[in-house]
Amino acid sequence: LCKMRKVHRLCTNYNHLIVYIMVTFKERAEELANQCKRVRGNNVYETLAKEFNIGKRAAGDRFKSMFGLPVRDYISKNITPTKEEMIDFIVQSNSFKELYKVSGINDVARLVSLLNKYFNQTNFTKIKFNLVAKIPSTTYKVTREDNMSILISQYLGDGHIEREGGFRIEHCEKQYQYLKFKIGLLNKAFPNTNGVEAIRKRLILDKRTGKNYVSYSYRTKEVLKSQIKIILGRSIKDNIFSMTPLGVCLYYMDDGWLSINKKHKTVELAFSVVNSDTQNHLIEYFKTYGFYFNKNSKSISLNKRLEVLKFIQNFILPFDYMLPECMKYKYDYKDIVELVH
């Protein structure tokens, strides 16, 4: 019932000391189960079976014998979503049954108890209605140009026009809060668009790795026909030159990146663009702001440290107060400042 775990420790003479620590089945099972954030696909039995060279069924029987319940129930008891997490689960669900699946709480009584604790009632429909009504739109100074620029940024970036009447936007699990942020902007600019209740979660198979990953998609609803008609009726160049700094910020968050190499003291801020004409139009557009981008077959980029800093100061930092934490890695300029000095 034991296995040996190899641990590397660094000694004072900078040589590695390999220490073997005996880990019992119960200790490892408890460790694995306590690390789980969801009931489905927890792989606890599979991992135990592999590490202790036993069958999956035997691993399950041992777990139930030692802890008095199967691993799904053990994990479920340990999962207690925060109120903010529970709000996201409710917004993503269309029924109590869906909430039960999404939350990962494998116990109806516990789920009902949490609803009562956080929202002082247990009626799913009433709770969701109240939440959707209270979700605030992102605050920013509204201008007609900014409103259209939001749509242009999605046309150039991660949005897809559907039936020339609306947009579909999709982001990975790590950018879920960014998707909610975009929806807030759209709701403020175009009040008839769907709210966060229209977010849908789905699993996508990565054919390269064979693994599933979580993605969140959103549809605005077909209420943007006149705006989309304007966008599609103009040239790419005219759309690019119609972008405001807010639009540039959103476009960068979608298709841009910041790369810093401390060893070689190099910096690159770039937009992923493969169409040569689009590259040229973007380069001309940024020249009107005093920024001179380079281009290659896959992107346009700034490579001078001071220029990169100024770009971030001009196009990103004015909106830092409302950008979600999950996107701030795209403009974390502290290391650039160190390189400059």
Side-chain angles (χ1 to χ4, degrees), residues 150-152 154-155 158-170 186 190 192-194 218-232:
I150 293 169
L151 298 182
I152 293 169
Q154 297 313 287
Y155 177 56
D158 288 338
H160 302 277
I161 293 176
E162 293 190 317
R163 295 183 289 276
E164 298 188 7
F167 276 89
R168 178 174 63 84
I169 304 170
E170 188 161 3
L186 286 165
F190 308 100
N192 290 330
T193 52
N194 284 324
Y218 160 81
R219 286 180 164 87
T220 60
K221 195 164 55 175
E222 291 183 39
V223 293
L224 300 170
K225 290 184 178 181
S226 61
Q227 292 85 0
I228 289 174
K229 185 177 180 180
I230 292 171
I231 291 173
L232 295 179

Side-chain angles (χ1 to χ4, degrees), residues 202-251:
R202 66 183 184 128
L203 290 177
I204 299 176
L205 176 65
D206 187 334
K207 293 181 180 179
R208 294 172 299 177
T209 63
K211 295 181 179 179
N212 287 317
Y213 67 91
V214 175
S215 177
Y216 291 96
S217 64
Y218 160 81
R219 286 180 164 87
T220 60
K221 195 164 55 175
E222 291 183 39
V223 293
L224 300 170
K225 290 184 178 181
S226 61
Q227 292 85 0
I228 289 174
K229 185 177 180 180
I230 292 171
I231 291 173
L232 295 179
R234 293 192 298 209
S235 65
I236 289 291
K237 179 179 180 179
D238 287 342
N239 279 313
I240 289 171
F241 275 76
S242 296
M243 275 199 300
T244 63
L246 174 62
V248 173
C249 176
L250 295 174
Y251 180 38

Side-chain angles (χ1 to χ4, degrees), residues 45-57:
Y45 291 162
E46 290 85 349
T47 303
L48 291 171
K50 182 179 180 181
E51 293 184 359
F52 289 87
N53 197 28
I54 57 176
K56 179 181 173 181
R57 183 171 181 176

Side-chain angles (χ1 to χ4, degrees), residues 28-282:
R28 181 58 174 152
E30 193 170 27
E31 178 186 29
L32 289 170
N34 287 338
Q35 288 174 351
C36 289
K37 301 297 182 184
R38 61 180 182 178
V39 174
R40 286 186 170 186
N42 58 74
N43 291 324
V44 171
Y45 291 162
E46 290 85 349
T47 303
L48 291 171
K50 182 179 180 181
E51 293 184 359
F52 289 87
N53 197 28
I54 57 176
K56 179 181 173 181
R57 183 171 181 176
D61 290 342
R62 286 187 190 179
F63 190 100
K64 285 182 275 189
S65 175
M66 290 177 169
F67 297 98
L69 69 174
V71 69
R72 289 173 64 91
D73 293 341
Y74 181 98
I75 295 169
S76 179
K77 282 193 171 185
N78 284 344
I79 294 175
T80 304
T82 64
K83 185 175 181 178
E84 184 62 31
E85 289 172 333
M86 186 63 80
I87 289 172
D88 281 341
F89 294 151
I90 292 169
V91 167
Q92 294 168 28
S93 306
N94 289 319
S95 64
F96 182 86
K97 186 177 180 181
E98 282 189 27
L99 175 63
Y100 177 79
K101 291 179 180 178
V102 170
S103 67
I105 300 172
N106 201 32
D107 185 327
V108 172
R110 282 194 66 237
L111 180 55
V112 170
S113 176
L114 282 173
L115 291 177
N116 192 49
K117 175 184 176 182
Y118 290 148
F119 309 107
N120 296 319
Q121 62 174 310
T122 58
N123 185 298
F124 171 84
T125 303
K126 289 183 179 180
I127 293 171
K128 179 164 182 176
F129 179 83
N130 289 331
L131 287 176
V132 172
K134 291 177 181 177
I135 291 174
S137 297
T138 303
T139 301
Y140 73 101
K141 188 176 180 180
V142 179
T143 68
R144 185 184 298 274
E145 291 77 16
D146 272 336
N147 291 348
M148 282 299 292
S149 193
I150 293 169
L151 298 182
I152 293 169
S153 74
Q154 297 313 287
Y155 177 56
L156 296 172
D158 288 338
H160 302 277
I161 293 176
E162 293 190 317
R163 295 183 289 276
E164 298 188 7
F167 276 89
R168 178 174 63 84
I169 304 170
E170 188 161 3
H171 285 284
C172 65
E173 188 173 21
K174 290 182 179 179
Q175 294 184 351
Y176 172 69
Q177 295 299 328
Y178 178 49
L179 177 60
K180 285 173 60 180
F181 162 74
K182 280 187 181 179
I183 295 170
L185 291 178
L186 286 165
N187 291 167
K188 184 75 173 179
F190 308 100
N192 290 330
T193 52
N194 284 324
V196 291
E197 75 281 355
I199 295 174
R200 293 292 177 266
K201 178 181 178 180
R202 66 183 184 128
L203 290 177
I204 299 176
L205 176 65
D206 187 334
K207 293 181 180 179
R208 294 172 299 177
T209 63
K211 295 181 179 179
N212 287 317
Y213 67 91
V214 175
S215 177
Y216 291 96
S217 64
Y218 160 81
R219 286 180 164 87
T220 60
K221 195 164 55 175
E222 291 183 39
V223 293
L224 300 170
K225 290 184 178 181
S226 61
Q227 292 85 0
I228 289 174
K229 185 177 180 180
I230 292 171
I231 291 173
L232 295 179
R234 293 192 298 209
S235 65
I236 289 291
K237 179 179 180 179
D238 287 342
N239 279 313
I240 289 171
F241 275 76
S242 296
M243 275 199 300
T244 63
L246 174 62
V248 173
C249 176
L250 295 174
Y251 180 38
Y252 173 73
M253 291 297 139
D254 278 9
D255 285 353
W257 75 80
L258 176 64
S259 174
I260 303 170
N261 188 314
K262 290 184 179 181
K263 181 179 178 180
H264 299 290
K265 296 186 177 181
T266 58
V267 175
E268 181 182 49
L269 183 145
F271 288 84
S272 177
V273 192
V274 295
N275 182 280
S276 181
D277 288 339
T278 303
Q279 288 179 333
N280 291 334
H281 297 323
L282 284 167

Side-chain angles (χ1 to χ4, degrees), residues 1-5 21-31 48 51-52 62 66-67:
L1 293 180
C2 299
K3 78 183 187 82
M4 305 301 288
R5 175 181 291 175
I21 301 175
M22 186 173 68
V23 180
T24 66
F25 180 94
K26 184 176 182 180
E27 289 171 337
R28 181 58 174 152
E30 193 170 27
E31 178 186 29
L48 291 171
E51 293 184 359
F52 289 87
R62 286 187 190 179
M66 290 177 169
F67 297 98

